[in-house]
Amino acid sequence: MSEDTLLCRVRRMQELPSTHLLGAGTAMCAGCGGLQAFREVYELLGERTVVVNAAGCMTLLAVYPFTPFRGSWLYTSMASAPAGAQGVRDALDLLRAKGRMPPEDDLRVVVLSGDGAAYGMGLSATSAAIDRGLDFVYLCYDNEGYGNTGQQTSAATPRGARTATDTGSRGYPGRKKDLFGIWAAHRPAYAATVIGSEPVDLARKVERAARAPGPRLLLALTPCPTGWGFDPKDTVEIGRLAVRTGIFPLKEYEGGRVVHTKVPRPRLPVDAYLRTQQRFAHLFEPARDEATLREIQAAVDAYWAAVPG
Amino acid sequence: MTRQLLTGNAAAAWGARLAGADYVPAFPITPQTEILELLGRWIEAGELDARLTLLESEHSMMTAAGAAAATGVRAFTATSSQGLLYAMEMLYAVAGWRAPFVLVNVSRGVAAPVTLESDHTDALAARDSGFLQLHAATCQEVVDLVLLAYRLAERPEVRLPALVNLDGFLLSFTREPVELPAAEAAARFVGPFDPGPVRFRASRPLSQAVAVLGGVPYSYFRYEMHLAAEAAAAAWDEVAAEFEAAFGRRYEAVECYRADDADVALVLIGSLATAARDAVDRLREAGVRAGLVRPRLLRPWPVAALRRALAGRRAVAVLDQDLSMGQGGVLHAELAAALYGAPGAPAVLASFVGGLGGRDVVPEELFAMAEEALRSAELGRTPAPRLLFTEAELVEVRKLQGLAGAERAELAGAPSRGRS
């Protein structure tokens, strides 16, 4: 849908909407960072949306006969949510063009996908949807593993993290895939990383995304108490640490340029983030795994060294 | 109405055009591609007011078709073989969305080994998906069954997607005279698309295809789909009668050719029916009272019509152009399930598998099938299932194997050895 229906312009915490569009009592875990990020995004995008869902934790948001949505929802499959979004968008466009639906009945199409689908099984469908210039918002809640099935390693799992499938003393030996970079390489209308613990930054990016018709990514790092091993009360703090250690850079892509929206100064050492989570405990106990910790710190340092300014 | 020479693929495209399809999610695969190319050309030329979107896979294509139908437009798509299998997860899923559309499958054998030519293994893999399934025998039937499929699928008590099958090469690339329904009459017959309760609108929020917890609601919704498919069986005669009134062609759920007084009935689906009718005539000339019973409808399975058609026959010879490994012919098993315990059911139901991957089924084989089924009825015992394959064909394969062996030996630098 072309016209901008976003509710407000957010510059300060006090300006964040408190409309509570998303109902409570869903099946998400206590302290779910994914629900936090999704709620913040949904409040801004509003109820004139149809959320097209890929298989993941959030599939359990709507369990018959309950739904937390004021707007619409369509569950598709793990691999093909962007294609579902394409079908809905095309159909809405056709209905408007043929005069079979009043313009005010139009909807914003939003894909809601976990990292398992976004980084892996659904990547082909996502890439093709961007190629086609599909007018949609793609929200990935990235909890860095197949969380719904017990946190097995996904392509979003960071180096060194223990998962249900990488249980050894070094954790996951691979590296987290750069989904933001993959999106940016497609030259989408807009792409941004967001985190629920930085709601003003998130809100500003949702606004920008809402104004840029075409394929738009909101990639949210979503701290996961059950998958990462921490107390649900710490979700916000761990999200903040992900930003302040520089592990999760907040940035956006538009018109061929990447801009960092919050540069952590000074940057905290990665230990400050890693120590908070059971999935990294083996890097500290029984003895510090200096090699892996140095490697993780070096990767973060190298990333920021390459960031201009 | 105009009569012209059309391939089965063109007939399928005409079916979509005459049905007033709004939306065509597409992905190419041989031997189906021509359908989507033709629709694309019509859209480009302004002859069809629709949108074609090329997806990156059949899995996505099927998702887009279901999602568009669930949003309230009339969707049409087509695929074949590996494409159908690749989309299979979504066939099962979108059927449960209760958003009707039509999928044309141009049947082709499935890998491995890879082949381009026809058999029914692909379509039968979709048997339990919740799609209605119709099989065309001629190019005329292709266009007509697409129109019928829309009517049937969109009925409020049905609301299931439908698969219309046509045989690759044998129909897809074969020109036959086709009487095209007039556009206005076709539009009247199919009617405007009614999205019913399933549509996404800002003024009518809807959560669709949601999860259920536990077997009770799950069973309920799955039973509903089954009952909806059965409702399609009940609705067939009415829809077919309306079609006949509009276009003068009558389509029974089960085509019977000289079957009323037949001692032996051939049962098969698809384009082989043309050769089978001819075989029936020739058997009759030779004094064998043969007939043909050919289901057009595979899902819902027209059990009552099949029982009626086959009651009183002494023997039935079923030809399957498919193979369920470790079981045999799928159609044979389906027919046995329909006939078991039915009054007057034939004592002998002989199973033959043939025509896999485009292998010809020659008239002599059809004669032999009928004769073997009759002989078995006289002896009072059902023959073992037969896989049609001749001595000459075995020699041909042995030659290929010899060549493959020689190639391998040459690559390995060893002298070629004959195969024992």
Side-chain angles (χ1 to χ4, degrees), chain B residues 79-258:
Chain B
T79 190
S80 182
S81 184
Q82 306 307 123
L84 188 72
L85 297 190
Y86 196 65
M88 197 57 78
E89 179 193 20
M90 292 319 295
L91 263 79
Y92 279 73
V94 298
W97 297 0
R98 307 302 300 274
F101 65 93
V102 170
L103 160 69
V104 161
N105 184 63
V106 184
S107 61
R108 161 183 155 189
V110 300
V114 179
T115 183
L116 295 177
E117 293 184 65
S118 179
D119 69 40
H120 296 148
T121 306
D122 56 355
L124 290 175
R127 182 189 65 174
D128 304 333
S129 63
F131 274 59
L132 312 176
Q133 190 169 137
L134 295 76
H135 284 256
T138 63
C139 295
Q140 181 70 60
E141 272 191 26
V142 171
V143 60
D144 292 346
L145 290 190
V146 169
L147 295 175
L148 278 161
Y150 273 109
R151 265 305 295 279
L152 202 59
E154 291 177 10
R155 284 178 73 99
E157 77 274 28
V158 179
R159 294 192 62 81
L160 288 170
L163 182 156
V164 176
N165 193 78
L166 63 118
D167 294 343
F169 290 81
L170 302 168
L171 288 184
S172 69
F173 300 144
T174 303
R175 276 174 211 282
E176 292 181 344
V178 173
E179 200 161 283
L180 281 179
E184 307 75 43
R188 258 198 315 279
F189 172 72
V190 178
F193 185 74
D194 176 8
V198 182
R199 62 181 101 173
F200 299 114
R201 300 288 182 275
S203 58
R204 293 174 45 131
L206 170 74
S207 287
Q208 179 69 350
V210 302
V212 294
L213 293 180
V216 171
Y218 181 81
S219 298
Y220 176 84
F221 291 119
R222 300 296 287 180
Y223 289 167
E224 285 240 296
M225 289 168 68
H226 173 62
L227 296 174
E230 295 208 317
W236 178 271
D237 286 342
E238 187 188 320
V239 173
E242 282 181 42
F243 188 91
E244 186 184 17
F247 308 110
R249 289 182 292 281
R250 172 87 190 165
Y251 290 114
E252 306 289 351
V254 177
E255 181 203 10
C256 294
Y257 179 71
R258 304 184 81 167

Side-chain angles (χ1 to χ4, degrees), chain A:
Chain A
M1 63 199 261
S2 50
E3 78 271 39
D4 177 35
T5 56
L6 209 66
L7 303 172
C8 57
R9 257 168 204 287
V10 176
R11 289 289 168 269
R12 297 178 302 148
M13 282 290 254
Q14 291 89 325
E15 292 167 352
L16 288 169
S18 52
T19 42
H20 301 295
L21 286 182
L22 197 69
T26 66
M28 298 302 103
C29 304
C32 174
L35 189 61
Q36 179 197 19
F38 177 60
R39 180 185 298 279
E40 291 174 20
V41 172
Y42 194 65
E43 296 264 306
L44 288 157
L45 289 181
E47 56 200 306
R48 286 180 58 188
T49 50
V50 50
V51 176
V52 182
N53 175 239
C57 296
M58 300 252 178
T59 299
L60 295 177
L61 282 177
V63 177
Y64 191 82
F66 301 112
T67 179
F69 299 102
R70 293 276 187 82
S72 288
W73 163 269
L74 174 66
Y75 169 70
T76 53
S77 71
M78 188 149 182
S80 63
Q86 181 81 50
V88 173
R89 182 68 268 155
D90 283 342
L92 291 169
D93 288 347
L94 282 162
L95 289 166
R96 278 187 70 167
K98 294 188 174 193
R100 280 153 55 185
M101 181 188 80
E104 59 270 23
D105 253 348
D106 203 356
L107 294 161
R108 198 190 296 280
V109 182
V110 180
V111 164
L112 180 63
S113 169
D115 56 282
Y119 284 72
M121 197 192 277
L123 191 51
S124 165
T126 306
S127 173
I130 308 169
D131 295 344
R132 291 188 299 266
L134 176 63
D135 184 22
F136 76 136
V137 174
Y138 187 106
L139 173 61
C140 170
Y141 57 102
D142 178 2
N143 70 338
E144 306 194 315
Y146 296 111
N148 203 31
T149 46
Q151 201 68 7
Q152 295 77 29
T153 296
S154 81
T157 300
R159 189 167 188 81
R162 259 198 189 150
T163 67
T165 47
D166 280 292
T167 56
S169 60
R170 304 292 297 274
Y172 174 55
R175 287 185 175 80
K176 185 179 174 77
K177 190 188 279 183
D178 179 10
L179 188 66
F180 177 87
I182 290 170
W183 266 76
H186 285 76
R187 302 184 170 278
Y190 183 76
T193 61
V194 296
I195 195 159
S197 54
E198 299 288 349
V200 177
D201 179 79
L202 178 144
R204 204 189 56 77
K205 288 169 174 170
V206 174
E207 280 177 12
R208 295 196 67 160
R211 286 173 217 286
R216 293 155 279 171
L217 169 71
L218 296 170
L219 174 56
L221 182 70
T222 57
C224 172
T226 45
W228 297 5
F230 63 82
D231 192 308
K233 73 176 169 49
D234 295 332
T235 298
V236 173
E237 186 53 30
I238 286 174
R240 286 184 181 142
L241 285 170
V243 175
R244 291 177 64 197
T245 55
I247 279 184
F248 186 65
L250 290 172
K251 55 186 170 182
E252 62 189 350
Y253 165 97
E254 199 164 22
R257 279 182 61 232
V258 174
V259 175
H260 285 76
T261 55
K262 209 172 179 108
V263 179
R265 288 200 189 91
R267 255 188 300 121
L268 299 179
V270 294
D271 286 26
Y273 171 75
L274 301 176
R275 273 185 177 285
T276 59
Q277 302 158 49
Q278 196 58 36
R279 63 176 174 157
F280 295 117
H282 58 285
L283 301 180
F284 301 97
E285 299 288 341
R288 278 180 69 87
D289 179 348
E290 291 295 353
T292 304
L293 287 168
R294 259 202 310 275
E295 207 184 325
I296 295 171
Q297 184 67 62
V300 172
D301 292 346
Y303 176 88
W304 287 103
V307 171

